[in-house]
Amino acid sequence: MGKEILANWREGFAFRGNYLIIQVAVKINNLHRWDVSVTEAKEIQLKLANKIVIADKDINPQLIAGVDISSPDSHGMARGAVVVLRYPELNIVEVKVAKSKVTLPYIPGLLSFRECPVILAVCEMLYNTPDIVLVDGQGIAHPRKLGLASHLGLFLDLPTIGCAKSILCGKHEPVEEKPGSFAKLIHNGQIVGAALRTKAKVKPIYVSIGHKTNLTMALNWAMKCCRGYRLPEPTRLAHLAASGKLSPEPK
DNA sequence: GCGACAG
DNA sequence: ATCTTGTCGC
C-alpha cells in the first residue's frame, strides 16, 4: 500500500480510482494484521466527520440512486450494486453491479471502511451522476458522526442520505402509525436523525443526514422514494441487484 | 465494569 | 448479514 494513499485516506482525500488499493487497518484480537489500528480508524472518522456539509437549501432531484453490497461469499467476494432511478417516476435508468474483495470484517461503527471500497468501485462504472444517493446504513447517526452514508458522501462528493434498517446509536419516542410520521433520534442530547414510518404496521427505518443534505430533506426524499415497501425504492432495488435478483441492465 | 452494536 | 415454510392479514 502506498503511503501517499494512506495519507490521503487519513485526510479524507483518497483519489477516485485509487481507493481500491486503500487498506484500512484494524487489529482484532490479534487475529488479523492490518495497517491501521481501531483507534486510528476512529480518529480518521472524527476528522472526516468535520468535513460533512449540512445543506441549507433543498434540491430538485431528477436522478436518485441507491447503493448496497451483498454479504461476501466464502472467498470474500461481495457484489456492490448501484441503481439510478428517475424522479418522480422512479423507473430504472441505470443498474451497475460489480464484484470486489471485502478485506475487513464487520465491526459496528467501522462499517464504512468495509463497504466504501466495494461501493465506490461500482459507482465508478456509472454513466449517470445522481443528484442524491440513498445508502443502506447510517449517516451521522453514528457514535463519531460518520456512518457509511456520510463517509460515502465525502468520497462521491454527492448529497447522501442514510437509510438504515436498525439503530446503531440513539433513542427515540414511539412513532405514529401513519406513513410519513417520524420521531427524532437523539444521541448524547443531539438530534442525529429520525425514525421514519415508511409503511403502516411495519417497523420504521432510521434516516439521517449523510452529506450535503439536511434532516428535512433526508426525511422528505426517503419518504418520496417509497412505493409500498418498508425500504425506499433506491436502496430496495440496490439490495435486489446486489443479491442478483435484479437484471444489471436498464429495463 | 457491563451492555450495545449499521451490515 | 444469515439460518428458514407456511401462513395470517390487508
Side-chain angles (χ1 to χ4, degrees):
Chain A
M1 173 189 60
K3 284 185 178 172
E4 243 178 279
I5 301 303
L6 178 57
N8 281 319
W9 171 278
R10 285 178 189 279
E11 297 306 320
F13 292 117
F15 305 114
R16 293 175 67 95
N18 279 341
Y19 39 71
L20 279 180
I21 62 172
I22 293 168
Q23 295 286 317
V24 170
V26 179
K27 184 168 63 182
I28 307 131
N29 300 330
N30 295 319
L31 291 176
H32 300 83
R33 284 200 146 281
W34 311 88
D35 308 299
V36 177
S37 68
V38 167
T39 304
E40 285 173 300
K42 290 180 178 177
E43 286 168 359
I44 291 169
Q45 290 184 320
L46 289 172
K47 273 194 175 182
L48 295 183
N50 284 323
K51 300 177 184 293
I52 294 299
V53 172
I54 312 289
D56 50 12
K57 60 179 171 59
D58 204 348
I59 48 187
N60 265 312
Q62 296 191 25
L63 298 177
I64 302 185
V67 296
D68 193 18
I69 79 170
S70 66
S71 57
D73 62 21
S74 53
H75 303 298
M77 297 299 287
R79 265 195 305 262
V82 53
V83 176
V84 180
L85 306 180
R86 184 168 302 285
Y87 186 84
E89 301 83 0
L90 299 186
N91 55 329
I92 295 178
V93 171
E94 189 176 3
V95 179
K96 288 286 182 291
V97 175
K99 276 197 170 185
S100 297
K101 177 105 174 171
V102 171
T103 52
L104 299 181
Y106 166 69
I107 303 166
L110 298 183
L111 178 68
S112 62
F113 291 107
R114 169 181 166 93
E115 297 204 353
C116 273
V118 180
I119 296 175
L120 290 169
V122 73
C123 284
E124 197 174 45
M125 300 167 63
L126 277 183
Y127 175 74
N128 295 279
T129 302
D131 300 300
I132 303 181
V133 181
L134 302 199
V135 183
D136 183 18
Q138 311 289 354
I140 64 170
H142 176 280
R144 290 166 295 282
K145 303 288 195 80
L146 195 85
L148 175 59
S150 298
H151 206 154
L152 216 43
L154 285 174
F155 279 118
L156 295 172
D157 193 29
L158 289 175
T160 56
I161 296 171
C163 299
K165 298 182 292 296
S166 60
I167 293 178
L168 173 59
C169 66
K171 290 177 183 169
H172 65 87
E173 299 292 316
V175 191
E176 306 279 323
E177 281 302 328
K178 187 180 184 218
S181 307
F182 64 90
K184 291 170 290 186
L185 184 63
I186 310 290
H187 181 61
N188 290 339
Q190 288 192 322
I191 300 173
V192 295
L196 173 67
R197 184 83 65 190
T198 53
K199 178 179 178 172
K201 300 182 178 180
V202 171
K203 288 187 300 180
I205 65 169
Y206 300 89
V207 174
S208 58
I209 296 167
H211 181 49
K212 291 186 166 179
T213 50
N214 56 53
L215 188 53
T216 304
M217 282 173 70
L219 287 165
N220 179 46
W221 296 117
M223 194 62 215
K224 283 186 170 164
C225 284
C226 290
R227 287 291 186 277
Y229 292 89
R230 179 186 178 219
L231 300 181
E233 291 301 289
T235 50
R236 190 180 75 82
L237 294 175
H239 183 79
L240 289 178
S243 44
K245 294 167 187 166
L246 183 70
S247 159
E249 289 300 323
K251 203 176 170 186

